[in-house]
């Protein structure tokens, strides 16, 4: 039994409203699929729901329903969302009505919005605890500018946290006095399912917007003598919704700043927390330094004393102790991953692609691309080179401008370079091929046959000189 169930004795079922159009995004992508920190807005909500251990997760879909449903299948480990289609969208009350058949009577229902991504598990647990199987618990917040939000109306003359909640009045239905109220409904509530269902059946759309308002259930609770509790948060970020590109960008920055500060609290030294982006997970050991404008994506881990230069993009990679990634390096391990060994030096302007495995003290310099290749300890490729589908031995020196010709137009082949090989500049190693340990490849060679250990191999034309060579002359003008 998970934590939330232990505390409350009641299973928690979640409804995530995600059917709205998101008109103000002016986008063909459904609003809840826009990304915050590299992850769809609604996926953040499901992550949190997974964290609190919900029983059923019902996502109400409408606009772009197929896209949203496809995006969410398998998006969060351990959660199999159910989808309730809402067509047309007649309001938040109507949205929850569509979800009702999926909600057993014995549970507490948490109502969330797919476009409010940063709600925390602790806040949801607290709200469920307030509901306690018998109350309607609303998450509210005091704001400076309440425009557009539902106002929390308390008993007359007691518009403070002490007064009992009477109703929620939507902006468009509010009178002047109500509009002055600065405590607003966040859009998040916890309510016993059996009560919710009786109230949903009583909703109507006689209001300024002609919609079925979920918020009208507050009035029903008061009439039925069910206690209504307003649980106030002071964390505006947790209840911030996304309605426009500007709001999305603002929330992204706030989210990034929060992540940056969390890392700094662990000891990570960020040159500037305002110029740091994490779109995934970043695990850092001690004394990591990260310069400005770096982007981390997917799962990245950095060992102790790793330094990341300015303007690097690093995705799905493990960087071991003491390695230095110089500025403007692009690393993306995608599914296969990338590993950079202890003490390795990479960049500036290097590119590590999926399956790049660099051993300890490897050097990868500017304009070097490495894909699906293993470089053993101490190997170096310092300038303008390509290593694809290669196995490179220890201490190999791979010259400037050299490449593995790993692709014959149909298939990929491997290049094996033994320990202590020296590949000169501007060589083409045509795979499949093996360069024997300790061998030397003369600069400018195109190597098509495997070479013996210790051998010097040169395939370029022999140099010839012609003394006192007279270049052709232009014929004198007539
Ligand atoms: C709602 C609340 C308001 C609260 C505000 C907080 C109601 C009537 N009002 O207002 O009190 O202050 O949220 O942000 O609930 N949705 C559907 N189907 C629909 C309508 C909406 O799925 O038919 C979804 C939207 O996609 C969105 C969420 O429900 O994710 C909230 O809808 P929205 O239109 O933003 O509600 P507000 O009018 O802002
Ligand atoms: Mg809204």
């Amino acid at each position: 039994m998970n934590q939330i169930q232990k505390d409350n004795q009641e299973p928690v079922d979640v409804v995530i409203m995600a059917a709205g159009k998101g008109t103000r995004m002016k986008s063909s992508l459904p609003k809840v699929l826009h990304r915050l920190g590299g992850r769809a807005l609604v996926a953040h909500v499901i992550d949190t729901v997974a964290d609190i251990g919900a029983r059923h997760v019902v996502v109400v879909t409408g606009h772009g329903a197929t896209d949203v449903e496809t995006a969410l299948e398998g998006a969060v480990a351990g959660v199999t969302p159910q989808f309730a289609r809402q067509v047309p969208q007649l309001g938040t009350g109507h949205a929850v009505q569509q979800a009702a058949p999926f909600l057993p009577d014995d549970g507490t229902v948490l109502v969330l919005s797919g476009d409010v991504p940063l709600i925390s598990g602790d806040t949801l647990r607290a709200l469920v605890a307030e509901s306690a199987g018998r109350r309607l618990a609303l998450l509210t917040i005091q704001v400076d500018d309440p425009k557009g939000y539902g106002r929390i109306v308390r008993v007359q003359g007691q518009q403070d946290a002490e007064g009992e909640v009477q109703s929620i009045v939507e902006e468009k239905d509010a009178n002047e006095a109500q509009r002055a109220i600065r405590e607003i409904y966040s859009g998040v509530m916890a309510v016993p399912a059996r009560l919710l269902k009786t109230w949903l059946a009583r909703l109507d759309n006689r209001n300024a917007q002609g919609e079925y308002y979920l918020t009208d259930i507050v009035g029903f609770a008061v009439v039925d003598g069910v206690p209504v509790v307003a649980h106030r948060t002071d964390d505006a970020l947790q209840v911030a919704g996304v309605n426009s590109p500007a709001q999305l960008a603002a929330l992204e920055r706030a989210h990034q700043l929060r992540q940056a500060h969390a890392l700094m609290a662990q000891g990570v030294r960020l040159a500037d927390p305002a110029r740091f982006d994490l779109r995934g997970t970043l695990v850092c050991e001690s004394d990591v330094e990260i310069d400005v404008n770096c982007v981390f994506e997917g799962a990245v881990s950095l060992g102790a004393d790793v330094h990341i230069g300015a303007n690097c993009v690093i995705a799905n990679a493990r960087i071991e102790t003491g390695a230095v990634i110089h500025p403007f390096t692009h690393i993306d391990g995608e599914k296969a991953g990338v590993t950079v060994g202890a003490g390795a030096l990479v960049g500036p302007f290097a590119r590590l692609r999926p399956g790049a495995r660099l051993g300890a003290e490897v050097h990868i310099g500017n304009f070097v691309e490495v894909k699906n290749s293993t470089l053993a300890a101490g190997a170096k490729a310092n300038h303008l080179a390509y290593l694809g589908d290669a196995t490179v031995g220890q201490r190999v020196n791979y010259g400037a401008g050299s490449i593995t010709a790993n692709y014959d137009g149909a298939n990929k082949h491997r290049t094996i370079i033994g320990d202590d090989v020296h590949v000169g500049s501007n060589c083409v190693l045509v795979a499949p091929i093996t360069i024997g340990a300790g061998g030397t490849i003369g600069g400018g060679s195109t190597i098509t046959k495997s070479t013996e250990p210790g051998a010097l191999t040169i395939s370029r034309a022999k140099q010839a000189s012609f003394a006192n060579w007279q270049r052709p002359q232009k014929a004198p003008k007539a």
Side-chain angles (χ1 to χ4, degrees):
M1 193 180 265
N2 59 54
Q3 199 56 44
I4 204 164
Q5 290 180 12
K6 240 183 286 171
D7 294 348
N8 297 283
Q9 313 299 325
E10 302 226 349
V12 173
D13 299 308
V14 172
V15 177
I16 301 173
M17 297 185 291
K21 186 163 183 200
T23 312
R24 279 186 282 159
M25 289 303 291
K26 299 189 177 160
S27 168
S28 57
L29 188 69
K31 178 165 79 174
V32 295
L33 295 186
H34 282 269
R35 286 168 186 276
L36 181 96
R39 193 151 172 72
L41 295 171
V42 61
H44 282 274
V45 181
I46 300 181
D47 287 340
T48 306
V49 158
D51 171 52
I52 66 164
R55 178 175 60 180
H56 296 294
V57 178
V58 186
V59 182
V60 181
T61 57
H63 275 283
T66 316
D67 291 344
V68 175
E69 291 167 13
T70 308
L72 292 184
E73 308 238 343
V76 179
V79 178
T80 309
Q82 295 168 288
F83 299 104
R85 291 256 177 131
Q86 185 199 19
V87 183
Q89 293 84 37
L90 303 178
T92 52
H94 182 248
V96 178
Q97 281 171 349
Q98 312 313 305
F102 297 87
L103 304 170
D105 286 344
D106 65 340
T108 294
V109 179
L110 258 179
V111 179
L112 306 173
S113 281
D115 60 356
V116 180
L118 296 182
I119 189 81
S120 81
D122 285 344
T123 301
L124 297 183
R125 281 185 203 99
L127 200 64
V128 168
E130 294 270 23
S131 173
R134 58 191 177 83
R135 293 192 288 240
L136 169 57
L138 308 169
L139 184 64
T140 72
I141 185 167
Q142 193 84 12
V143 294
D144 291 333
D145 180 11
K147 195 167 188 299
Y149 291 101
R151 308 298 205 278
I152 302 294
V153 179
R154 295 174 184 263
V155 286
Q156 206 132 52
Q158 294 193 319
Q159 197 55 58
D160 53 27
E162 303 307 310
E164 273 174 40
V165 176
Q166 293 295 102
S167 62
I168 296 175
V169 177
E170 295 302 310
E171 166 93 19
K172 287 188 175 135
D173 301 279
N175 61 35
E176 207 161 322
Q178 290 165 335
R179 281 190 190 169
I181 297 171
R182 294 195 303 116
E183 186 183 9
I184 59 132
Y185 171 53
S186 67
V188 177
M189 65 169 66
V191 52
R194 64 195 147 76
L195 296 174
L196 175 66
K197 287 182 181 178
T198 65
W199 297 331
L200 287 175
R202 283 149 68 180
L203 291 176
D204 65 53
N205 63 353
R206 292 193 298 273
N207 53 53
Q209 303 187 80
E211 288 183 8
Y212 294 86
Y213 290 163
L214 179 61
T215 43
D216 282 352
I217 71 170
V218 176
F220 301 151
V222 172
V223 169
D224 291 356
V226 173
V228 180
V229 283
H231 179 75
R232 278 199 194 178
T233 176
D234 52 14
D235 184 1
L237 218 49
Q238 284 197 39
V239 296
V242 171
N243 296 297
S244 65
Q247 283 177 350
L248 180 60
L251 199 58
E252 176 77 25
R253 286 333 310 158
H255 171 60
Q256 291 299 347
L257 202 58
R258 199 165 270 198
Q259 295 191 128
H261 281 279
L263 285 164
M264 290 191 297
Q266 294 164 22
V268 178
R269 295 195 290 277
L270 299 179
D272 183 356
R275 285 179 289 170
F276 166 82
D277 287 85
L278 170 57
R279 302 170 189 156
T281 56
L282 178 60
V283 177
C284 295
E285 286 160 36
S286 63
D287 288 291
V288 164
E289 279 186 21
I290 300 174
D291 209 335
V292 298
N293 292 331
C294 291
V295 179
F296 296 87
E297 296 177 343
V300 176
S301 69
L302 307 179
D305 299 301
V306 163
H307 289 197
I308 310 288
N311 300 299
C312 290
V313 176
I314 301 182
N316 304 303
R318 161 80 192 151
I319 317 282
E320 308 269 5
T321 306
V324 177
I325 311 296
H326 289 296
F328 296 98
T329 292
H330 185 253
I331 298 176
D332 190 355
E334 295 176 22
K335 288 206 174 81
V338 162
T339 48
V340 174
L345 304 179
V346 178
F349 299 100
R351 181 171 185 213
L352 303 183
R353 294 174 52 203
R357 312 262 173 241
L358 313 187
E361 310 286 334
V362 162
H363 294 185
I364 296 294
N366 40 214
F367 308 106
V368 174
E369 174 184 352
V370 181
K371 185 219 76 172
N372 190 30
S373 294
T374 302
L375 282 77
K380 295 186 173 74
N382 271 324
H383 328 267
L384 302 162
Y386 176 58
L387 281 161
D389 304 309
T391 304
V392 179
Q394 296 182 44
R395 297 171 300 277
V396 164
N397 197 309
Y398 192 76
S402 289
I403 66 150
T404 53
N406 57 324
Y407 184 53
D408 62 14
N411 298 300
K412 303 246 170 83
H413 303 282
R414 272 205 98 68
T415 298
I416 296 169
I417 304 176
D419 290 347
D420 299 298
V421 161
H422 183 100
V423 177
S425 295
N426 227 30
C427 293
V428 179
L429 308 180
V430 182
I433 197 164
T434 298
I435 310 297
T440 302
I441 305 297
S445 295
T446 296
I447 304 296
T448 56
K449 291 194 282 284
S450 292
T451 66
E452 289 303 315
L456 165 66
T457 308
I458 307 176
S459 75
R460 60 174 189 254
K462 209 166 199 161
Q463 182 169 319
S465 284
F466 303 89
N468 302 318
W469 174 252
Q470 294 295 315
R471 286 194 295 272
Q473 307 285 314
K474 266 190 182 156
K477 278 197 179 114

